[in-house]
Amino acid sequence: MQIVLDNFNLTAAERLLCETALHTAGSIVEAAKLLGITRHALKRRIIKHNIRWVRDAGARPGFGDTSPRQSASVAGVAAMTA
């Protein structure tokens, strides 16, 4: 996948990379792996850049809305990005 930058703004590039990784990977853990950073570092960047992202519940088999842990996780991400 090729990402084209409009300018040399490092903050904008970081935001674009985070958003692209999240949408490509489908989870914070997998997106962090794509970026070569920790999950915690990616969460800090989500907050820093005010990235609105909520994982699709049906994106991966075996992970549904009924899991209390996942629901809390999605709610936590939503609260961090609001």
Side-chain angles (χ1 to χ4, degrees), residues 43 70-82:
K43 284 186 175 185
Q70 188 212 353
S71 298
S73 173
V74 171
V77 172
M80 286 190 299
T81 60

Side-chain angles (χ1 to χ4, degrees), residues 1-74:
M1 168 184 273
Q2 188 175 22
I3 297 176
V4 179
L5 301 174
D6 294 334
N7 54 42
F8 291 104
N9 183 325
L10 188 57
T11 301
E14 183 179 61
R15 179 185 174 96
L16 179 62
L17 283 169
C18 290
E19 289 175 337
T20 303
L22 284 165
H23 290 292
T24 300
S27 75
I28 290 176
V29 172
E30 294 302 315
K33 287 179 185 178
L34 286 175
L35 295 168
I37 60 177
T38 65
R39 173 187 55 84
H40 185 72
L42 179 55
K43 284 186 175 185
R44 285 195 314 262
R45 284 168 177 83
I46 289 170
I47 294 167
K48 173 184 172 184
H49 297 294
N50 196 24
I51 297 172
R52 298 188 59 84
W53 179 81
V54 177
R55 180 177 155 206
D56 294 334
R60 292 173 56 191
F63 293 91
D65 292 343
T66 58
S67 167
R69 183 173 180 182
Q70 188 212 353
S71 298
S73 173
V74 171

